[in-house]
C-alpha cells in the first residue's frame, strides 16, 4: 500500500487484469504511478484472479458467478476499484449486477462494487478531476477506442484530454477509431477468419494515419493489433495509454522483442 500525505486520500484497489499480470506488468506499475499522482492510496489485493469475462462470454454463468463472488469479496471494502481495461471494468460495473439479478444475497453487493469500479482514464478525469499529466513522449500517436470502454463506459474524450497535456506528443485521429479491432475476447477464437479480416483493416488504417505509435486502453485489443502490425512488418509501436501518461514508455513496445531477447547475429 502506498501512503500519500493527505490523510483523506481515497483508498483505491487496483484490479490488475489477467493480461496485464501475465503479459504487460508495466501497465500495472504505470497505473499505480498515475493513481498516486492523483492523490490516491493504492492497494493491490493479492487474492485477485480473473474478472470472469471469458467464461461469461462463453455462456458459462456458473463459473462466472463463482469468479465474480471471489472478486466482490476481495474488493468490496475499498473506496474505489480501478481497472486499466475497459472490458474488465465493464464486466464488473455492468455485468456483475446482471449476473446476480435473481440472487438477493449477492445482487446488492454486486451493485455496490459496480458503483465504485472505474476504468483508469475515466477515474482520473471524471472522478479525480485531472485535466493533464506531467509526462513527455516525443512522436505522433493515434488512438483506438476499444469497444467495451467506448460503448459500455462512455470512454472517448478522457484519454484525449490527458494525452493533450503530454509534452512532445502529437495526436492524429485514427480512421474508424470506433470500429472493433476484431479481438472481442473469445470472439477471435470462435471466428478467427472474421477477426483476422477486422484486424487487417484496423492495421491498414493505423498505417494510413502516419502515426509511429498506436495507443489504446485495453491490452487485449492492443495485443491483437500489435500482433497483426508486427506480422505485417509495420514499424508502428503499440503501447497501453497508461505507459505514455505515466512517463513509463521506455520498455520495448508490445510484440517488439527486447534487445536481450533477440538472437545474436552470426558471422
Amino acid at each position: 500500500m502506498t501512503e500519500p500525505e493527505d490523510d483523506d486520500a481515497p483508498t483505491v484497489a487496483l484490479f490488475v487484469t489477467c493480461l496485464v499480470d501475465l503479459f504487460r506488468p508495466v501497465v500495472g506499475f504505470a497505473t499505480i504511478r498515475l493513481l498516486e499522482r492523483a492523490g490516491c492510496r493504492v492497494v493491490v489485493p493479492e487474492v485477485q484472479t480473473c474478472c470472469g469475462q471469458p467464461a461469461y462470454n462463453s455462456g458459462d454463468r456458473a463459473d462466472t458467478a463463482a469468479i465474480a463472488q471471489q472478486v466482490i469479496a476481495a474488493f468490496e471494502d475499498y473506496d474505489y476499484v480501478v481497472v486499466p481495461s475497459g472490458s474488465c471494468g465493464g464486466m464488473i460495473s455492468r455485468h456483475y449486477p446482471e449476473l446476480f439479478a435473481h440472487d438477493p444475497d449477492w445482487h446488492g453487493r454486486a451493485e455496490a462494487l459496480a458503483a465504485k469500479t472505474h476504468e483508469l482514464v475515466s477515474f482520473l478525469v471524471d472522478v479525480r478531476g485531472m485535466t493533464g499529466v506531467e509526462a513527455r513522449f516525443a512522436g505522433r500517436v493515434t488512438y483506438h477506442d476499444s469497444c467495451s470502454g467506448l460503448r459500455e463506459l462512455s470512454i472517448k474524450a478522457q484519454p484525449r484530454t490527458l494525452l493533450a497535456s503530454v509534452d512532445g506528443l502529437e495526436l492524429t485521429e485514427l480512421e474508424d477509431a470506433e470500429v472493433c479491432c476484431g479481438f472481442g475476447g473469445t470472439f477471435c477464437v470462435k471466428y478467427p477468419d472474421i477477426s483476422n479480416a477486422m484486424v487487417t483493416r484496423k492495421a491498414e488504417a493505423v498505417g494510413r494515419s502516419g502515426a509511429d505509435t498506436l495507443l489504446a486502453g485495453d491490452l487485449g485489443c492492443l495485443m491483437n493489433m500489435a500482433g497483426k502490425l508486427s506480422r505485417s512488418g509495420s514499424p508502428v509501436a503499440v503501447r497501453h495509454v497508461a505507459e505514455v501518461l505515466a512517463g513509463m514508455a521506455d520498455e520495448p513496445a508490445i510484440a517488439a522483442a527486447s534487445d536481450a531477447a533477440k538472437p545474436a547475429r552470426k558471422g
Side-chain angles (χ1 to χ4, degrees):
M1 177 186 292
T2 59
E3 297 291 346
E5 295 180 0
D6 184 2
D7 291 337
D8 295 325
T11 300
V12 173
L14 170 60
F15 188 88
V16 177
T17 82
C18 299
L19 294 182
V20 169
D21 182 34
L22 296 173
F23 296 102
R24 196 72 176 171
V26 66
V27 176
F29 293 114
T31 298
I32 292 172
R33 178 179 289 185
L34 288 166
L35 291 173
E36 290 176 351
R37 289 178 176 176
C40 301
R41 225 177 247 107
V42 184
V43 176
V44 185
E46 294 184 4
V47 295
Q48 64 180 290
T49 54
C50 177
C51 69
Q53 187 179 128
Y56 184 80
N57 289 346
S58 300
D60 184 354
R61 295 297 187 264
D63 281 334
T64 305
I67 295 169
Q69 288 170 353
Q70 188 269 341
V71 172
I72 293 169
F75 285 84
E76 63 186 344
D77 292 334
Y78 300 103
D79 296 325
Y80 296 102
V81 178
V82 171
V83 191
S85 163
S87 59
C88 297
M91 180 67 196
I92 297 171
S93 63
R94 294 292 184 269
H95 299 297
Y96 276 18
E98 298 171 358
L99 186 66
F100 295 109
H102 303 293
D103 186 337
D105 292 333
W106 284 96
H107 185 250
R109 295 172 71 178
E111 284 194 319
L113 183 66
K116 59 185 178 182
T117 297
H118 303 271
E119 185 274 343
L120 173 62
V121 293
S122 177
F123 179 77
L124 296 175
V125 174
D126 300 331
V127 179
R128 299 302 289 171
M130 289 180 63
T131 58
V133 295
E134 294 184 5
R136 176 171 178 76
F137 185 85
R140 179 183 294 180
V141 308
T142 194
Y143 194 89
H144 166 72
D145 296 295
S146 300
C147 294
S148 294
L150 177 68
R151 294 172 175 82
E152 291 187 335
L153 305 178
S154 300
I155 299 168
K156 176 73 176 182
Q158 300 94 325
R160 291 165 174 82
T161 294
L162 298 181
L163 287 170
S165 69
V166 177
D167 185 29
L169 183 147
E170 177 186 353
L171 175 65
T172 180
E173 288 295 342
L174 179 64
E175 176 188 332
D176 293 330
E178 298 182 356
V179 174
C180 180
C181 73
F183 178 67
T186 56
F187 176 87
C188 63
V189 177
K190 295 176 181 177
Y191 308 103
D193 292 339
I194 299 174
S195 175
N196 182 59
M198 294 170 73
V199 75
T200 296
R201 286 195 285 270
K202 181 64 66 173
E204 291 170 349
V206 171
R208 289 192 296 270
S209 74
D212 48 52
T213 301
L214 170 65
L215 303 177
D218 263 290
L219 193 52
C221 302
L222 287 164
M223 292 174 64
N224 186 42
M225 294 183 292
K228 186 63 178 182
L229 288 165
S230 176
R231 292 191 298 273
S232 303
S234 171
V236 176
V238 181
R239 297 185 181 277
H240 192 285
V241 66
E243 299 176 48
V244 171
L245 296 178
M248 296 176 65
D250 296 329
E251 291 196 10
I254 298 168
S258 66
D259 291 339
K262 294 178 181 177
R265 293 184 179 179
K266 296 181 179 180

